Amino acid sequence: MQLHSIHANTSPATAGGYQPLEQNDQDATIRPNSITRGLDNNSNTDSMNNESSLLLIPSIQQLTGYVYLLVLSACIGGFLFGYDTGVISGALQPLSNDFTLNTSKKEIIVGGTTVGAIGGGLLAGVAADRTGRKPLVFLASIIFIVGSLVLAGAQSYSILVTGRLIVGLGVGIASMIIPVYIGEVSPKSFRGQLSTLNVLMITFGQVIAYVVNIIFANVSHGWRHMFAFAAIPAIAQCLILPFVPESPRFMIATGQIDDAKAVLRKIYHESTTDEFIDQEIYSIEQSVKLDSSGSFQELLSAENLRPLLIACLLQAAQQLCGFNTAMYYAATIMQMAGFRDHSDSTSVAIIVALTNMVFTAIAIKLIDRIGRRRMLITTMFSMILGLVALGISFAALQGVTPKQNSCDLYGDICARCILDDRCGWSVDTNSCNSLELGNDKYVSECPGDQTNQNTSIVLLLSLFVYVSSYALGLGYAPWLIQSELFNMRVRSRANGVSTSVNWFCNLLVAISFLSLTNVLSAAGAFWFYAILSFIFWILIMKYVPETAGKSLEDSQRLF
């Protein structure tokens, strides 16, 4: 994935994990003379420049309304990213009913967005330095509008898949370019804080998607309204963007110095001195030159290969722990857990999105204080316990029986019987029979007892532990650690490689979960994710260093 002069402290986001800009910014864009020292051979001049530049930096006590306009207009794209990855949870079951979808077709619809996102991320990585950041943000909005309308009006399975691919293209572009734009229009002293707004907007978008799912759960063809809703914020973003400038970094890279000065002055207040603006422009120029001087071949050098492998390890762990099964298939999982009514399963599923949003916010507050490695290792262990408990809960409800070739093979396991679309629980024979027979009276819910109700409560608590632990650790820490492992010459390229690993693993999870539950049972699927997570936990304990509080040079010396 080509990301040549993408800002060094940014990296693309994914559906299951959200990246901040590095909060302890250390690159040239943050500290202008850190690059000057490396490029100027006169150390005395460097020392004088450094001291004088510190006097030039304005003391900004609060952000201007102009900065909020820039950041919030971009964050609408983050909201759409979250919405379009979360909405499928509540739409999947009514889609299955209207289009008679089998397991593989469901997985393709869910995975279609991820496939589109991979293409969108590649497109944004290549085009960002040629077209600029703002046109790509606008393009993502247009794609979101088109995709939502195609999905809302779909009359066939092929159109549904096409719509999901289109929306995925928008997700990929937004996930790549919006963090970049925010990083490049934010005042340096607020850059870390403002970057978290996009992270929270993604999770907020997922929550709103679940709310919309609940509203239209019992509406005929309600899934059309669920998909169409995404067009509203996308249209709003299109109306706002004409009043938003291109990022100063791109302007400087393309020789638009006067325009960049004007934008920087609005960002840093009109009273900012000319000397500071000139110094900021110089530092950005040097940062662009340094970033463009790197190559992918450098990633294979001894100093970069191990950090790259660690970054890829973290990104693979983020996805292969199975979290996106909870995000994409939340309502389906709730139906497996005994909430057979679509409205009930969709309503209970909002626990996933709310928990993820709240604990992501907590992670942002705590991770610098506790440390990346410590927080990651601790929360991964509790996440594994949550997965194990989830498996036990499903085993108690359904047993560990995989999908059978015929209904009678389910025996007396009613909970597993009614999960199979071909089968129903016969009241007359108190056994599992094929619905095609049509002679008996069937029930959509198993004869309940207090034990099943208590088990469902334990299952929901286990799901809460799983999701909250993920949000505190794997959902946030890999992006932050990754931004602190590489020098500026290779950072954007290394981020591109590791993010490709993230998307690929995301796709594997999205297109395999339902098949996995058919082969291993729901309990077996979550135990499988627990085993994978345990392996990653061991590898992270062994190979991932603590980067909190360390300079870029200190982090490099760890390898």
Side-chain angles (χ1 to χ4, degrees):
M1 186 179 293
Q2 187 174 351
L3 303 167
H4 285 302
S5 64
I6 298 292
H7 191 281
N9 279 343
T10 63
S11 56
T14 70
Y18 320 103
Q19 81 293 359
L21 299 177
E22 182 180 346
Q23 294 187 28
N24 298 317
D25 293 309
Q26 297 163 336
D27 62 36
T29 311
I30 311 305
R31 297 180 181 176
N33 281 292
S34 63
I35 279 191
T36 307
R37 285 197 296 274
L39 299 176
D40 198 326
N41 292 324
N42 189 327
S43 60
N44 291 329
T45 302
D46 290 336
S47 177
M48 293 173 62
N49 287 342
N50 187 54
E51 292 174 1
S52 61
S53 69
L54 290 175
L55 298 175
L56 296 175
I57 299 176
S59 176
I60 301 177
Q61 300 300 323
Q62 62 182 7
L63 293 168
T64 64
Y66 183 73
V67 173
Y68 279 118
L69 170 67
L70 302 187
V71 173
L72 292 177
S73 63
C75 282
I76 295 174
F79 173 89
L80 289 166
F81 171 13
Y83 184 89
D84 281 310
T85 54
V87 70
I88 193 61
S89 170
L92 189 59
Q93 188 57 47
L95 282 174
S96 180
N97 295 336
D98 285 357
F99 292 93
T100 317
L101 303 178
N102 58 27
T103 296
S104 61
K105 286 185 176 181
K106 290 179 186 177
E107 291 174 334
I108 289 172
I109 286 178
V110 172
T113 295
T114 305
V115 173
I118 293 172
L122 289 170
L123 173 64
V126 171
D129 294 334
R130 301 177 184 178
T131 65
R133 285 54 162 150
K134 177 182 171 180
L136 285 175
V137 176
F138 188 82
L139 176 62
S141 294
I142 297 297
I143 291 173
F144 280 128
I145 294 170
V146 173
S148 63
L149 295 180
V150 169
L151 285 167
Q155 300 294 330
S156 67
Y157 172 73
S158 60
I159 298 299
L160 278 175
V161 174
T162 301
R164 291 290 288 171
L165 288 170
I166 293 172
V167 165
L169 189 66
V171 167
I173 294 173
S175 69
M176 176 70 75
I177 205 63
I178 288 171
V180 174
Y181 182 81
I182 292 173
E184 294 176 356
V185 300
S186 300
K188 60 185 68 176
S189 57
F190 288 91
R191 190 166 290 142
Q193 296 177 37
L194 290 174
S195 69
T196 63
L197 285 179
N198 187 53
V199 176
L200 294 175
M201 282 295 282
I202 293 171
T203 58
F204 180 63
Q206 291 168 338
V207 171
I208 295 301
Y210 279 58
V211 172
V212 173
N213 289 346
I214 293 171
I215 292 172
F216 295 107
N218 290 325
V219 176
S220 178
H221 303 298
W223 56 270
R224 297 188 186 277
H225 304 288
M226 298 175 191
F227 289 130
F229 179 85
I232 298 174
I235 291 171
Q237 188 175 42
C238 286
L239 295 176
I240 294 171
L241 282 176
F243 304 98
V244 173
E246 180 56 82
S247 84
R249 181 182 176 94
F250 180 77
M251 290 179 179
I252 292 168
T254 53
Q256 305 172 59
I257 304 300
D258 291 340
D259 291 337
K261 284 184 177 181
V263 173
L264 285 170
R265 189 171 298 282
K266 289 183 179 180
I267 290 173
Y268 284 103
H269 293 271
E270 293 293 344
S271 59
T272 304
T273 64
D274 291 338
E275 290 82 358
F276 174 78
I277 297 297
D278 290 339
Q279 178 64 36
E280 186 69 5
I281 288 175
Y282 176 76
S283 70
I284 294 174
E285 288 176 332
Q286 300 308 312
S287 176
V288 170
K289 289 179 182 178
L290 185 61
D291 190 47
S292 63
S293 66
S295 68
F296 280 101
Q297 189 173 358
E298 290 183 58
L299 294 176
L300 301 179
S301 65
E303 65 175 324
N304 293 321
L305 182 57
R306 188 179 175 190
L308 178 63
L309 293 175
I310 289 174
C312 291
L313 168 69
L314 290 169
Q315 298 298 348
Q318 185 186 80
Q319 294 300 324
L320 295 181
C321 70
F323 171 76
N324 276 326
T325 62
M327 187 57 65
Y328 299 151
Y329 295 102
T332 302
I333 291 172
M334 290 301 101
Q335 288 181 329
M336 294 178 181
F339 298 91
R340 299 296 300 170
D341 182 76
H342 176 61
S343 179
D344 291 342
S345 63
T346 304
S347 299
V348 176
I350 200 172
I351 292 173
V352 174
L354 281 172
T355 301
N356 185 44
M357 182 180 72
V358 170
F359 281 87
T360 296
I362 293 173
I364 291 170
K365 285 290 185 182
L366 295 182
I367 199 165
D368 282 327
R369 189 183 311 167
I370 296 176
R372 289 87 160 109
R373 173 185 162 86
R374 181 181 175 187
M375 194 161 180
L376 184 58
I377 290 174
T378 302
T379 56
M380 275 193 74
F381 184 76
S382 61
M383 184 192 77
I384 293 168
L385 294 180
L387 280 168
V388 172
L390 263 177
I392 293 173
S393 300
F394 273 112
L397 285 172
Q398 308 171 0
V400 290
T401 305
K403 186 174 183 179
Q404 301 296 310
N405 292 328
S406 63
C407 299
D408 60 293
L409 295 178
Y410 290 116
D412 60 353
I413 307 176
C414 174
R416 186 62 184 89
C417 167
I418 62 176
L419 285 176
D420 194 321
D421 294 335
R422 305 165 302 165
C423 308
W425 189 258
S426 170
V427 176
D428 297 332
T429 63
N430 200 32
S431 63
C432 188
N433 294 326
S434 173
L435 293 174
E436 294 179 357
L437 297 178
N439 297 324
D440 296 340
K441 180 181 178 181
Y442 298 103
V443 293
S444 60
E445 297 184 11
C446 293
D449 57 36
Q450 189 62 39
T451 302
N452 284 348
Q453 293 178 15
N454 292 338
T455 304
S456 294
I457 293 173
V458 173
L459 187 147
L460 291 176
L461 290 174
S462 302
L463 183 63
F464 172 79
V465 171
Y466 172 42
V467 174
S468 60
S469 298
Y470 173 89
L472 286 171
L474 270 180
Y476 187 74
W479 299 107
L480 195 55
I481 294 173
Q482 176 176 291
S483 70
E484 297 166 339
L485 291 177
F486 304 100
N487 61 58
M488 286 186 298
R489 284 173 58 87
V490 300
R491 189 180 297 175
S492 61
R493 293 164 181 80
N495 285 350
V497 172
S498 60
T499 301
S500 297
V501 171
N502 186 294
W503 279 118
F504 179 72
C505 293
N506 184 316
L507 179 61
L508 286 180
V509 169
I511 64 174
S512 65
F513 174 67
L514 295 179
S515 297
L516 201 61
T517 58
N518 285 341
V519 173
L520 300 179
S521 76
F526 286 108
W527 286 336
F528 175 74
Y529 292 133
I531 293 170
L532 285 180
S533 298
F534 181 76
I535 294 171
F536 281 119
W537 183 63
I538 296 296
L539 292 174
I540 286 171
M541 281 201 300
K542 184 174 182 180
Y543 293 112
V544 176
E546 178 58 76
T547 58
K550 291 181 171 62
S551 67
L552 179 60
E553 292 74 18
D554 290 337
S555 295
Q556 286 286 297
R557 281 194 287 269
L558 295 172
F559 308 106

